[in-house]
Amino acid sequence: MSELFDAVDALVASRSALPPPEERKRLRQAHGLTLDEVAAALKVRRATVSGWESSKTRTEPRMPEREAYARLLEKLAQLYPAPTNTVTPAAQDTEPVPPTPAPETRTPSTGATSDTAIDTAIPIDSDSTQPHPAVTTASTDTVAAPAAVPRPARTTRPSPTSRRPGARQAAPASTPAGADPRFENGPLAVVDVTDDGEVLAYCVGGLVLDVPAKSLPTLVDWTLTEAKLGQPKLSGPGKDADPLLVLTEAALERYGLPVRLTEEERLAGRLPEGHKATKQLARADWKLTKRGFGPWARIYRPAQGSERSCVQLCIPSWDALDARHWADAAQLPPAELARLLGTYAERVMTPRGSTAVTGLELMTALHPPTRASEPGADGKRHSEHNPGSLGKDPVDPAPCEAPDGHPVLAGLPRFHRRTPAERLFEEAYDWARPLTDDECTRRHLVGIDVNMAFAAGANGLIVGLGAPTHVKNPVFDPKLPGSWLVDLSHVDLSRVKSGKEWVQLDSELLPSPFTPKGDRPEGPAWYATPTIAYAVELGYHVAPIEAYIRYENGRYLDGWYNRLRDAYIATMADLGVPADVSPEDFLKAMDGYRQRDPQLAIVVSAIKATVKGGIGKLRERPRGEGWKPGEPWRALARPTWRPDIRDAVISRTRVNMHRKIVKHAAFTGQYPVAILSDCAVYAADGESPLDFLPYREGKPLPGGFKLGVNPGLVKHEGTQTVLWGEGVREQFDAPELNLARYIKDGTVTNVDSGE
């Protein structure tokens, strides 16, 4: 009889009603669950859960997963009831009473303090010594870019004539389905002042708020108590993002801040401690982190339990938005800037500083160092290490991994120059060679560029999570991350394995995969695990002399890669460049894609800069502050100061490029004439990549270069004539000038500096 009851229960559950896809997503995000966590619990693929939450695919779970999924949603719905929409069109015409600004407390304060005094969730920003230029999951789990609205909404009285175009009244914006009611106005706001003196906060989605604050301290109070700005945490044990205020020049003047920093302040990266603004904050018991009041200031009061009181400021006119990554974003009208930064925040995360800082912070946000333990005997929880994270304490690198001047190298003689047998040197390619006679008869040089190459190199990469262990004469294990002292001079590129077959190549036309300059190794040298694994893949035996191995390891960067990949693909799709199209259609879609929506094009640039900058930040060097060789510098205090992880990503990225080059050469007999990082240049008769990439019936060479928007696939970087290339080399008397550096537009400005 019990079997019959079970069968009936299963039959009922198979038809049980489920909330709509948007509500499913809201419930998951409200509890801080990722797609991967839900997929693991239900024993399905991540894409399956993403499909259940997508209103486009409209896929529904089947038994037995449906019953478990319905149970999960039911419990989450009890914890997080759907918010009710209390905003009505009639409310727009109502004149609400402005909230009374909080009085300034005149209690003396100590002023700036250490970042760690706020909370462990606010790590030291190593970009603090100078101003810097600087996505919820995309795919089917992507938050669409807010549409450009010519008439942004306000929650208060109609706006008078605004000081910039676009700041006009529109219909009130309601809380989007699935939004956290605590942050219903989005992650950030751009604060501006109209010609009539009104202070307005332009939020994501065209929403405009009246700002009643008359001073900087009351502006911070208003942000935390009434603005409803911020962003939910990206992982279960993580913390919510602090609200971000972007201050325009008019807002700076209104709140007593300089529109531009003086030369001295710009070099210091902050206002002096005695500035009236910092004193005003101190009198109101607000503190500043060690970075001080700079382009990315963070204002806080010490956390009370789990409650945080912190607001971050972004000041574009102080060079907070580096033009190299954010183009002309600093000059955009407030509503447009809010849209641009809001799209980046929703798809990547709320900016925490430069794109490099944000890239590093994203790693920590996805893998916080600690989590809450299970309740003890007394029912209380405590903080414990979060498995899969880097922990909260920094670890020293192996001597071979440490950059020059690191304290672990303090015993070396002064001015000692380390050899490859003493130093790990994993860098991206910078290689070129003279053209062959046959290549000189070709008409064009065509450059192809790997999309998000370093992100692709991080995907699935096993990296060390803890300190290294020194081992003598180890047996190489490709699954163990670390640094290995190996002699690879015996690897002969004229005969290598490609897949299961041995192939003959012209080694004179190929760079070595083991060195950035493409030179063949001359003896023992230190390499990261992916480099040694590739030597084995090519069919050669390796015998490590010693190694620094990290037995505690994991795929730390997978979540980071997934989020940035989804952000990139979703934004490119918004720009009219979809995934999974034919090579011809892809090239057409890429032609002029930046002009379709210049703001979203800036978001794409910022996402790519977040990848490169985040990887580079793992080995941040001293930034002045009176540092001397052998002394520690500020970045070493971070658990995310991990040069070994950076080296592993770069090693794998370089190896990925070489593997594709070998596949291409073995099949076509064509070799690159120049490689710069993720760009390779080939001689061809035509101007398009399709003139030399071996597509057959629309299908690319397996393991070779493939055109497409996904990370790891390639796009057209640029085309110049062979005559141009030879002319440039002759002009600068540089037969091996790296033409990949200039292939995009053909402009060569300064060969020595590589500009």
Side-chain angles (χ1 to χ4, degrees):
M1 184 64 70
S2 62
E3 294 179 358
L4 293 175
F5 286 164
D6 290 342
V8 169
D9 290 342
L11 186 62
V12 172
S14 69
R15 298 294 188 272
S16 59
L18 296 175
E22 296 82 4
E23 178 65 3
R24 302 172 195 175
K25 180 178 178 180
R26 182 192 74 82
L27 292 172
R28 174 179 61 78
Q29 292 179 337
H31 201 60
L33 298 175
T34 65
L35 289 171
D36 292 322
E37 289 173 329
V38 175
L42 300 179
K43 295 181 173 56
V44 296
R45 296 186 303 115
R46 179 182 185 276
T48 300
V49 180
S50 179
W52 295 344
E53 294 182 358
S54 172
S55 58
K56 296 181 180 179
T57 57
R58 297 187 179 277
T59 58
E60 292 292 323
R62 299 179 180 179
M63 293 299 292
E65 293 84 5
R66 184 185 181 93
E67 183 178 5
Y69 189 49
R71 182 179 178 85
L72 170 66
L73 296 176
E74 180 182 1
K75 289 185 175 295
L76 292 179
Q78 294 172 1
L79 294 173
Y80 310 100
T84 57
N85 183 8
T86 59
V87 180
T88 63
Q92 182 182 2
D93 298 325
T94 304
E95 183 77 21
V97 179
T100 304
E104 294 185 14
T105 306
R106 298 293 177 176
T107 307
S109 174
T110 57
T113 185
S114 168
D115 292 322
T116 55
I118 313 177
D119 190 294
T120 54
I122 303 182
I124 295 173
D125 181 352
S126 52
D127 270 15
S128 60
T129 59
Q130 60 183 358
H132 285 281
V135 330
T136 301
T137 315
S139 184
T140 54
D141 189 32
T142 299
V143 177
V149 282
R151 306 183 66 201
R154 299 181 58 192
T155 59
T156 60
R157 61 186 179 278
S159 168
T161 302
S162 181
R163 74 188 303 274
R164 287 193 177 93
R168 300 177 182 173
Q169 175 192 4
S174 59
T175 304
D180 190 319
R182 297 172 302 158
F183 312 126
E184 65 181 38
N185 293 333
L188 54 87
V190 179
V191 180
D192 191 30
V193 183
T194 69
D195 291 337
D196 293 341
E198 281 194 309
V199 184
L200 304 177
Y202 294 79
C203 305
V204 176
L207 178 71
V208 181
L209 306 175
D210 272 327
V211 181
K214 305 298 184 183
S215 67
L216 193 58
T218 55
L219 176 64
V220 176
D221 278 318
W222 171 83
T223 304
L224 292 171
T225 58
E226 299 179 45
K228 293 188 177 181
L229 296 173
Q231 190 174 39
K233 58 188 177 182
L234 298 181
S235 65
K239 293 180 173 62
D240 299 327
D242 298 318
L244 173 65
L245 295 182
V246 184
L247 303 184
T248 66
E249 295 181 9
L252 293 174
E253 293 176 348
R254 176 62 172 264
Y255 292 110
L257 296 167
V259 174
R260 299 280 187 277
L261 296 178
T262 65
E263 183 64 19
E264 183 179 354
E265 292 166 348
R266 189 186 65 80
L267 292 174
R270 67 193 76 188
L271 293 177
E273 292 186 8
H275 192 277
K276 63 180 181 181
T278 59
K279 290 181 178 179
Q280 193 180 33
L281 290 169
R283 287 195 299 268
D285 281 339
W286 290 107
K287 299 179 182 295
L288 292 165
T289 59
K290 276 190 174 180
R291 72 167 77 182
F293 206 127
W296 291 93
R298 200 166 294 154
I299 304 170
Y300 75 98
R301 285 185 180 134
Q304 301 295 325
S306 61
E307 295 297 321
R308 292 162 48 79
S309 298
C310 183
V311 172
Q312 181 162 299
L313 302 183
C314 168
I315 306 178
S317 66
W318 294 5
D319 298 328
L321 301 176
D322 189 336
R324 293 172 298 176
H325 314 313
W326 295 101
D328 61 349
Q331 283 74 49
L332 290 174
E336 296 179 20
L337 181 57
R339 178 201 178 219
L340 187 156
L341 293 177
T343 302
Y344 177 88
E346 290 173 344
R347 292 183 174 176
V348 181
M349 70 179 298
T350 304
R352 298 290 300 274
S354 67
T355 49
V357 169
T358 304
L360 197 67
E361 292 287 342
L362 181 60
M363 298 179 193
T364 303
L366 294 169
H367 285 287
T370 59
R371 67 178 184 183
S373 68
E374 294 296 326
D378 56 358
K380 296 183 178 180
R381 301 175 184 266
H382 62 274
S383 177
E384 65 178 12
H385 173 70
N386 183 27
S389 75
L390 298 181
K392 61 180 181 179
D393 298 316
V395 298
D396 284 335
C400 62
E401 299 165 348
D404 292 338
H406 192 280
V408 302
L409 304 175
L412 291 178
R414 191 177 183 187
F415 304 121
H416 175 72
R417 187 177 181 86
R418 291 189 290 166
T419 66
E422 298 172 290
R423 178 192 177 192
L424 178 67
F425 190 68
E426 295 283 12
E427 298 293 341
Y429 266 131
D430 186 355
W431 169 88
R433 61 170 177 82
L435 273 65
T436 64
D437 292 343
D438 179 66
E439 289 166 343
C440 287
T441 65
R442 308 288 181 182
R443 298 183 60 188
H444 297 97
L445 297 173
V446 183
I448 51 176
D449 181 79
V450 180
N451 297 318
M452 303 267 285
F454 293 101
N459 182 28
L461 179 65
I462 300 175
V463 301
L465 301 178
T469 299
H470 189 210
V471 182
K472 289 283 189 178
N473 300 315
V475 175
F476 176 70
D477 185 346
K479 296 181 180 180
L480 279 178
S483 302
W484 310 76
L485 181 62
V486 186
D487 187 353
L488 297 179
S489 59
H490 64 290
V491 177
D492 182 7
L493 293 181
S494 63
R495 185 174 183 273
V496 298
K497 260 191 175 181
S498 180
K500 296 182 179 181
E501 298 180 354
W502 288 89
V503 297
Q504 299 291 329
L505 301 172
D506 189 340
S507 59
E508 297 296 322
L509 304 180
L510 276 176
S512 168
F514 310 127
T515 61
K517 291 293 184 181
D519 302 324
R520 184 170 180 169
E522 297 179 352
W526 286 97
Y527 304 99
T529 297
T531 303
I532 307 301
Y534 186 56
V536 175
E537 180 184 326
L538 292 176
Y540 289 87
H541 175 72
V542 296
I545 302 168
E546 59 178 308
Y548 287 91
I549 299 171
R550 287 174 168 81
Y551 291 105
E552 181 187 357
N553 55 66
R555 292 168 59 159
Y556 173 72
L557 295 173
D558 273 11
W560 183 81
Y561 162 78
N562 288 335
R563 189 164 182 85
L564 289 166
R565 174 205 61 197
D566 292 347
Y568 178 74
I569 292 176
T571 311
M572 290 298 290
D574 289 340
L575 285 165
V577 186
D580 302 324
V581 295
S582 69
E584 295 81 4
D585 290 341
F586 170 71
L587 292 175
K588 291 178 182 177
M590 286 293 293
D591 187 18
Y593 77 95
R594 290 183 173 276
Q595 283 67 50
R596 293 172 197 147
D597 190 329
Q599 292 176 27
L600 285 183
I602 294 174
V603 175
V604 169
S605 297
I607 293 171
K608 293 193 290 187
T610 302
V611 172
K612 289 188 177 181
I615 296 298
K617 235 10 189 174
L618 292 167
R619 197 193 68 174
E620 183 180 357
R621 302 304 305 274
R623 309 180 68 85
E625 299 182 323
W627 174 80
K628 295 180 181 178
E631 296 179 350
W633 56 92
R634 181 179 296 184
L636 301 189
R638 295 193 322 247
T640 50
W641 192 85
R642 291 295 300 272
D644 58 296
I645 297 179
R646 170 194 177 273
D647 291 334
V649 172
I650 293 177
S651 164
R652 193 162 187 244
T653 302
R654 193 182 65 244
V655 162
N656 286 347
M657 173 68 85
H658 196 273
R659 184 182 292 111
K660 294 178 188 297
I661 289 169
V662 167
K663 290 281 187 182
H664 185 87
F667 188 79
T668 67
Q670 300 169 337
Y671 296 83
V673 300
I675 308 173
L676 182 68
S677 186
D678 47 9
C679 175
V681 176
Y682 283 83
D685 289 324
E687 300 182 20
S688 167
L690 291 175
D691 291 315
F692 71 92
L693 292 182
Y695 275 84
R696 297 293 183 272
E697 297 180 354
K699 296 182 179 180
L701 173 68
F705 296 109
K706 177 183 178 181
L707 290 166
V709 74
N710 289 282
L713 305 188
V714 300
K715 62 179 181 295
H716 183 204
E717 179 69 2
T719 297
Q720 304 297 329
T721 65
V722 169
L723 290 177
W724 165 86
E726 291 297 270
V728 167
R729 286 177 166 178
E730 182 178 349
Q731 176 185 352
F732 291 98
D733 192 23
E736 296 184 2
L737 178 68
N738 195 331
L739 299 175
R741 193 184 304 277
Y742 317 105
I743 195 70
K744 190 167 190 175
D745 60 11
T747 302
V748 182
T749 56
N750 192 321
V751 171
D752 292 335
S753 65
E755 295 179 1

